[in-house]
Amino acid sequence: MNNGLGNLDDLFQSAQDDGLTDDTMDLVIANLNGPAVMTAVHTPLDQLATNEVTLAMNIIDMSGSMSSHANDLIHAYNEDYLEALRNSSAADDILVSTILFDDKVETLHGYLPLEDVPNLNNKNYRPDYTTALYDAIAAGITNMVLYAQQLRSSGVIVRGIIMAYTDGADNASKQTAQDIQKSAEDLLKQEIYSLALVGFGLQKQMGFKDPNGRSPAQIMAEGIGFPVGFDASLNASGLKHIFHLASQSAMQMSQTGAAFGVFS
């Protein structure tokens, strides 16, 4: 099963021709048959509204510690991210995919036009269990690389933005931080991908000061090769703020090819 991606050998060869190394291809192959990849169904080529697209991947923590904040997160994601993008001038150029994770990783939906993206609700966002952050990011990278490569091989201009959101460190993954870091460094060399990690309430939770002045999210981001780490308050206003910034970053990526200027 390859979810309409075509000949995977051809995709892998074109990815290597475009400069992706074994570090990324090994990660993709290791995750190819995982449920989060197997169930990802993306928009077919003939249904794209434009030949220049931005792929926006959101990887959202659904572990048990998020349970008391579920309603606030659902509201912020729906209103300050999805609805903001739907009402933006870049709406036709952005395809969104959402991955949710606790100790398992679930692709809520593959890359879809904003009008077809389902909102979060209390049925599909149900926090519980532990935190398989690295497995979720690995699945997100795999889904993005496979679909982006299919689009690029068909002449579509592609940009990609991956944002991972977590309220704590990984404690349940098979993948390692080093696996993610190698692939992240590989993707960044392509100069079409932007990668960021958002930490929910980590400063209060971890309660330490880094001698180099880095925040907890910056430390976590650096450990997986993501150049941007941003700390957000884990409350209604903090969630609204961070998902607003995320929507602005996706718009910025679509319009200028660069993201995360809004975080500085």
Side-chain angles (χ1 to χ4, degrees):
M1 179 178 179
N2 65 18
N3 302 326
L5 290 169
N7 187 302
L8 291 179
D9 289 337
D10 290 344
L11 278 186
F12 290 160
Q13 185 59 56
S14 67
Q16 290 177 316
D17 291 344
D18 286 336
L20 289 178
T21 70
D22 288 344
D23 288 331
T24 295
M25 301 318 297
D26 288 347
L27 185 81
V28 168
I29 291 169
N31 288 275
L32 195 59
N33 294 319
V37 176
M38 294 281 285
T39 59
V41 179
H42 310 299
T43 301
L45 285 166
D46 60 2
Q47 294 180 22
L48 295 179
T50 174
N51 69 344
E52 187 168 342
V53 302
T54 294
L55 304 180
M57 165 64 72
N58 298 286
I59 302 168
I60 303 176
D61 191 338
M62 195 171 64
S63 61
S65 54
M66 290 295 296
S67 58
S68 61
H69 308 284
N71 288 337
D72 289 336
L73 184 143
I74 288 168
H75 181 78
Y77 185 72
N78 291 343
E79 297 301 320
D80 298 283
Y81 183 77
L82 289 180
E83 199 59 29
L85 288 179
R86 289 174 183 137
N87 292 326
S88 76
S89 60
D92 290 342
D93 304 329
I94 297 173
L95 302 177
V96 173
S97 180
T98 306
I99 283 179
L100 306 174
F101 68 94
D102 43 33
D103 62 330
K104 299 181 179 63
V105 180
E106 169 193 353
T107 298
L108 181 62
H109 58 86
Y111 287 103
L112 299 175
L114 283 155
E115 61 187 15
D116 297 329
V117 173
N119 282 359
L120 288 183
N121 57 52
N122 292 118
K123 292 183 178 179
N124 57 31
Y125 185 77
R126 308 170 308 280
D128 207 348
Y129 306 111
T130 50
T131 308
L133 174 63
Y134 302 151
D135 286 352
I137 294 174
I141 288 174
T142 298
N143 281 344
M144 178 167 281
V145 166
L146 288 173
Y147 188 50
Q149 206 56 48
Q150 181 197 27
L151 298 181
R152 295 177 75 188
S153 297
S154 301
V156 178
I157 298 170
V158 178
R159 302 182 182 98
I161 178 171
I162 294 177
M163 295 195 65
Y165 306 83
T166 185
D167 75 338
D170 185 284
N171 57 17
S173 288
K174 296 182 177 69
Q175 304 286 165
T176 68
Q178 291 73 23
D179 294 332
I180 305 301
Q181 184 180 47
K182 291 177 183 177
S183 182
E185 291 171 352
D186 202 16
L187 293 180
L188 292 169
K189 291 176 184 176
Q190 297 267 296
E191 298 185 341
I192 63 170
Y193 295 104
S194 293
L195 314 173
L197 180 140
V198 172
F200 292 142
L202 297 181
Q203 192 76 54
K204 181 177 180 181
Q205 177 191 136
M206 295 185 175
F208 70 90
K209 290 188 177 179
D210 178 67
N212 297 316
R214 298 171 300 172
S215 74
Q218 288 171 335
I219 294 170
M220 287 183 67
E222 186 175 301
I224 58 171
F226 280 30
V228 175
F230 190 84
D231 288 84
S233 299
L234 189 49
N235 53 41
S237 61
L239 291 166
K240 285 178 65 66
H241 179 61
I242 195 61
F243 280 115
H244 169 73
L245 292 181
S247 69
Q248 295 297 306
S249 291
M251 294 177 208
Q252 190 178 71
M253 188 71 173
S254 175
Q255 292 164 350
T256 69
F260 308 135
V262 296
F263 285 87
S264 56

